[in-house]
Amino acid sequence: MNMTTNTLVNSKLVCVALNDKAQLAALESTFNEAPYKKPPTQPVLYYKPRNTWNLNGAEIEWAKDFDGNDVPAMVVGASLGVVIGKETCRVSVDEALDYVAGYTIVGDFSLPEESYYRPDIKGKCLDGSAPVGPEIVAADKIANPDALSVCINVNGEQKSVFELANMERSVAELISIISRIMTLQPGEIIAVGFAGERVAVAKGDKVEASIEGVGTLTNTLGGA
Amino acid sequence: MNMTTNTLVNSKLVCVALNDKAQLAALESTFNEAPYKKPPTQPVLYYKPRNTWNLNGAEIEWAKDFDGNDVPAMVVGASLGVVIGKETCRVSVDEALDYVAGYTIVGDFSLPEESYYRPDIKGKCLDGSAPVGPEIVAADKIANPDALSVCINVNGEQKSVFELANMERSVAELISIISRIMTLQPGEIIAVGFAGERVAVAKGDKVEASIEGVGTLTNTLGGA
């Protein structure tokens, strides 16, 4: 792997799963089965650890299986990335946005997810699978982060549009809740929500994730 | 919180759950229920992120609930910590121990776990809940890491003994498997396994986690 030491992420990249209302609705019958018999009552979080952090423009390695062979399929999602500006511990929803330094885009290349129960470390922690960028746009440039849309284009063709108005929990709600679970530090990033339907990608594909006013994060899949 | 910037951990602390053979045997009937209908076939991993990292001698904060009230119960586990010495990517079981710089002890203070399905971010990511220490003992001082035992004493009384010979997967097997999921870097630490039965602790308790030849990690619970 190429260890990228100079990324936009400082210390922690937390992603929020299952924050797309349409996805939650589609999974409702699954959630009502064992073992939970109800939908999640709290945000479901996962980490993209340091070995995943990457940059705008980087080539994303095609993943390999246990034996070192290329995996048959990969998918991508993209999220607004909320960059924390100061130590954030147990803040209210009303004050939460005051703790934001700026916004960026987080890409999440992964293996297709097979279940929503056990933490999917194998699928989510691929080396270099979380490009973040192209830059951090200052918070005061974005009037309402929940009004943004995240678009994914593959080889120039639009594959996914996710309006953040369709998030189960807003940016401010997430910051408030997460800050009661763990203290957040400046430079840490929360990827607040992905469209439930991930986009299939192939070797050599050019993936562009765009948010108006935040920019376009461009990466190419390796392995072609 | 008190952010500990100078910990023994560099970049990543990965913990292996469900690596106690006795625990796996006890959970067998649960594993055979929905949704999986079988025990895990791969190691189940979780992270202790940077806000959790702490030091030998530190007071561990008593956790608070969503509303800021003290939680009713906390538990502790302890593990041998394997400190990676060089970039480790897709190594074999036979060569895995050559990538170890040394050994230490990882404490894991958490909320009692309610289920083994969704990633328990809330219970495992408490600020300052992962003391690591007291030091890193060079790998060549430990002839066979799988022959060690981890003891937990609370207020001087022995509460738990976990012989690593009872781990489902050995230290070398874990390094090999994890290195196929993500590349590990020098200074990153794997907590290889905890006794399935965590130890209940109370405010003000003094907790000592010991491994012969590695040392004793001592922490006191706050909130008393």
Side-chain angles (χ1 to χ4, degrees):
Chain A
M1 75 167 296
N2 299 306
M3 182 67 175
T4 309
T5 49
N6 185 25
T7 70
L8 291 190
V9 189
N10 175 36
S11 155
K12 196 187 293 166
L13 174 54
V14 184
C15 299
V16 181
L18 299 175
N19 199 26
D20 173 356
K21 281 182 183 168
Q23 181 187 22
L24 290 170
L27 287 169
E28 193 177 349
S29 65
T30 304
F31 287 141
N32 289 329
E33 292 170 8
Y36 286 104
K37 300 181 181 168
K38 63 181 181 185
T41 55
Q42 290 292 316
V44 176
L45 307 179
Y46 61 98
Y47 292 102
K48 298 286 286 190
R50 186 176 291 252
N51 61 294
T52 70
W53 301 350
N54 216 333
L55 288 167
N56 181 44
E59 182 177 287
I60 308 298
E61 275 183 63
W62 192 264
K64 294 189 188 307
D65 66 15
F66 188 88
D67 299 317
N69 300 314
D70 287 359
V71 297
M74 286 182 71
V75 295
V76 66
S79 170
L80 176 68
V82 173
V83 185
I84 297 298
K86 50 188 175 182
E87 186 169 294
T88 305
C89 179
R90 297 185 171 275
V91 301
S92 70
V93 175
D94 286 347
E95 64 188 342
L97 294 185
D98 299 341
Y99 290 78
V100 177
Y103 297 97
T104 188
I105 303 170
V106 176
D108 180 16
F109 290 83
S110 64
L111 306 183
E113 200 152 23
E114 286 166 12
S115 103
Y116 295 89
Y117 297 99
R118 287 217 181 93
D120 184 22
I121 298 279
K122 195 176 88 174
K124 291 293 187 198
C125 295
L126 304 169
D127 289 344
S129 63
V132 177
E135 58 174 333
I136 295 170
V137 172
D140 61 9
K141 304 283 190 228
I142 304 289
N144 176 9
D146 299 305
L148 300 171
S149 295
V150 184
C151 270
I152 300 177
N153 281 20
V154 177
N155 301 327
E157 192 182 332
Q158 185 173 292
K159 295 290 187 180
S160 168
V161 180
F162 181 48
E163 296 183 13
L164 301 194
N166 293 322
M167 292 197 301
E168 176 74 7
R169 291 183 182 83
S170 70
V171 171
E173 286 172 323
L174 288 168
I175 294 169
S176 174
I177 294 172
I178 295 170
S179 80
R180 293 162 205 263
I181 296 173
M182 62 183 101
T183 300
L184 298 165
Q185 297 294 335
E188 299 190 343
I189 295 180
I190 304 171
V192 289
F194 299 83
E197 193 89 26
R198 299 286 172 123
V199 173
V201 291
K203 292 176 184 178
D205 277 353
K206 180 182 175 186
V207 177
E208 292 166 297
S210 306
I211 300 175
E212 199 179 326
V214 181
T216 297
L217 172 69
T218 305
N219 296 91
T220 304
L221 270 295
Chain B
M1 77 167 293
N2 299 307
M3 182 71 175
T4 309
T5 50
N6 185 26
T7 71
L8 291 190
V9 188
N10 175 35
S11 157
K12 196 187 293 164
L13 173 56
V14 184
C15 299
V16 181
L18 299 175
N19 200 25
D20 172 357
K21 279 181 183 167
Q23 181 187 23
L24 290 170
L27 286 169
E28 194 177 352
S29 65
T30 305
F31 287 141
N32 290 329
E33 291 170 10
Y36 286 104
K37 299 178 180 167
K38 63 181 181 185
T41 55
Q42 288 292 316
V44 177
L45 307 179
Y46 61 98
Y47 292 104
K48 298 285 287 192
R50 185 176 292 254
N51 61 293
T52 69
W53 302 348
N54 217 332
L55 288 167
N56 181 43
E59 182 178 285
I60 308 298
E61 273 183 67
W62 192 263
K64 293 188 188 308
D65 67 14
F66 188 87
D67 298 317
N69 300 314
D70 287 359
V71 298
M74 287 182 70
V75 295
V76 65
S79 170
L80 176 69
V82 174
V83 185
I84 297 298
K86 50 188 175 180
E87 187 170 292
T88 305
C89 181
R90 297 184 171 275
V91 301
S92 70
V93 175
D94 286 346
E95 65 189 340
L97 294 184
D98 298 342
Y99 290 76
V100 177
Y103 297 97
T104 188
I105 303 170
V106 176
D108 179 16
F109 290 83
S110 65
L111 306 184
E113 201 151 23
E114 286 164 12
S115 102
Y116 295 90
Y117 297 98
R118 288 216 181 96
D120 184 20
I121 298 279
K122 196 176 88 175
K124 291 292 186 198
C125 295
L126 304 170
D127 289 343
S129 62
V132 177
E135 58 174 333
I136 295 171
V137 172
D140 61 11
K141 305 281 191 230
I142 304 289
N144 176 9
D146 299 305
L148 300 171
S149 295
V150 183
C151 270
I152 299 177
N153 281 19
V154 177
N155 302 328
E157 192 182 333
Q158 185 173 292
K159 295 289 188 180
S160 167
V161 179
F162 182 47
E163 295 184 14
L164 301 193
N166 292 323
M167 292 197 302
E168 176 74 7
R169 291 181 182 84
S170 70
V171 171
E173 285 173 322
L174 288 168
I175 294 169
S176 174
I177 294 172
I178 295 170
S179 80
R180 292 161 205 262
I181 297 173
M182 60 182 105
T183 300
L184 299 165
Q185 297 293 336
E188 299 190 343
I189 295 180
I190 304 171
V192 289
F194 298 83
E197 193 90 27
R198 298 284 172 125
V199 173
V201 290
K203 292 177 183 177
D205 277 353
K206 179 183 176 186
V207 176
E208 293 167 295
S210 308
I211 300 176
E212 199 178 328
V214 179
T216 297
L217 173 68
T218 305
N219 296 92
T220 304
L221 270 297

